[in-house]
Amino acid sequence: MTESPDGRAPTPRRKSRPHAQTAVRRNEILEAAVEVFGRKGYSNSTLAEIAQQVNMTHAGILHHFGSKHQLLLDVLQFRDDTDVQNLPGQRVPDGIEFFRHLVTTALSNAHRAGLVQTFVVLSAESVTEGHPARDYFVSRYQTLRAEALQAFEMICAERGVVPPAQASLAAAAILAVMDGLQVQWLLDPTNVDLVAANEFAIDAILASVLEPRASILERA
């Protein structure tokens, strides 16, 4: 209790607002779900296991998220928000900064193996029939390919280069390289340099768009 400045009856100290406490609790659940989904996959995980991680009941998880399906979608959104939380306007940059951001993301990922593992497991599971995250990953890759292609086109315009027809292939290839390297790194982190390998591949693909040449693999 604290006394008011004008001498009126003491007033109780303000407690944390309920919605602030709810936000903290939701984040605790999301972090627990990241760990459980990453370790066991979506299909083999239960809300009871996640609840146990945060000393809650199954009903408590449902109170915050409504269903296991919704929790999964919120975990994926949580992962996306983490990627851009320190960017200006919390959005992915354009042009050459887009590709620098990809390298920076690889550097961040090298320090958050749990989140990376969750993404790798869920993205692989999403190709299976009826998986609740399938639409999310389809949309995510469509968006990222479009952003990469736009970045290629912006850089080409700045340098007076006509974007080659293969620019859309390059956009898909960069994403494939990044995701594939994550799998290799999770399996063998000692022998796979996640950051250096990503930077090498992104630089090589970017160069192939800005300075197109005949394929070395073409048969004579």
Side-chain angles (χ1 to χ4, degrees):
M1 305 281 282
T2 57
E3 186 176 343
S4 62
D6 58 6
R8 289 179 298 180
T11 56
R13 293 184 183 275
R14 295 183 62 185
K15 296 181 180 180
S16 299
R17 291 175 297 177
H19 71 270
Q21 294 174 333
T22 298
V24 170
R25 202 59 168 146
R26 282 176 59 89
N27 275 347
E28 290 174 348
I29 297 168
L30 288 170
E31 289 171 357
V34 165
E35 192 277 326
V36 174
F37 287 158
R39 178 164 45 86
K40 303 188 67 173
Y42 173 79
S43 300
N44 294 324
S45 300
T46 68
L47 291 183
E49 291 175 283
I50 296 168
Q52 186 177 21
Q53 296 277 335
V54 289
N55 297 316
M56 290 182 67
T57 63
H58 178 280
I61 301 291
L62 292 177
H63 170 74
H64 286 283
F65 293 95
S67 67
K68 183 183 175 185
H69 182 171
Q70 186 58 50
L71 176 58
L72 170 64
L73 297 180
D74 285 350
V75 162
L76 294 170
Q77 186 61 53
F78 175 71
R79 190 261 184 195
D80 286 348
D81 292 344
T82 300
D83 272 354
V84 298
Q85 64 184 357
N86 295 320
L87 295 177
Q90 295 189 334
R91 62 179 298 275
V92 175
D94 299 319
I96 190 65
E97 292 304 322
F98 173 83
F99 298 104
R100 289 174 178 152
H101 165 67
L102 296 184
V103 176
T104 300
T105 298
L107 178 60
S108 297
N109 286 344
H111 300 283
R112 52 183 189 183
L115 200 59
V116 172
Q117 180 172 323
T118 301
F119 174 82
V120 166
V121 170
L122 294 177
S123 61
E125 282 187 335
S126 72
V127 304
T128 59
E129 185 176 354
H131 194 279
R134 185 182 184 93
D135 289 345
Y136 164 85
F137 280 105
V138 169
S139 176
R140 180 179 187 277
Y141 281 116
Q142 288 175 343
T143 298
L144 287 174
R145 286 195 301 270
E147 288 174 344
L149 180 57
Q150 180 178 323
F152 279 130
E153 292 173 343
M154 181 177 293
I155 297 170
C156 286
E158 291 170 351
R159 302 190 180 198
V161 176
V162 177
Q166 293 86 350
S168 60
L169 299 179
I174 278 184
L175 302 181
V177 165
M178 293 189 71
D179 288 354
L181 282 170
Q182 288 182 161
V183 175
Q184 293 186 54
W185 173 71
L186 287 169
L187 291 170
D188 192 4
T190 301
N191 293 310
V192 177
D193 188 327
L194 185 64
V195 180
N198 268 286
E199 185 169 8
F200 174 83
I202 291 170
D203 185 73
I205 294 172
L206 182 57
S208 73
V209 171
L210 296 177
E211 302 172 6
R213 54 169 175 72
S215 172
I216 297 175
L217 301 177
E218 287 184 358
R219 298 181 183 278

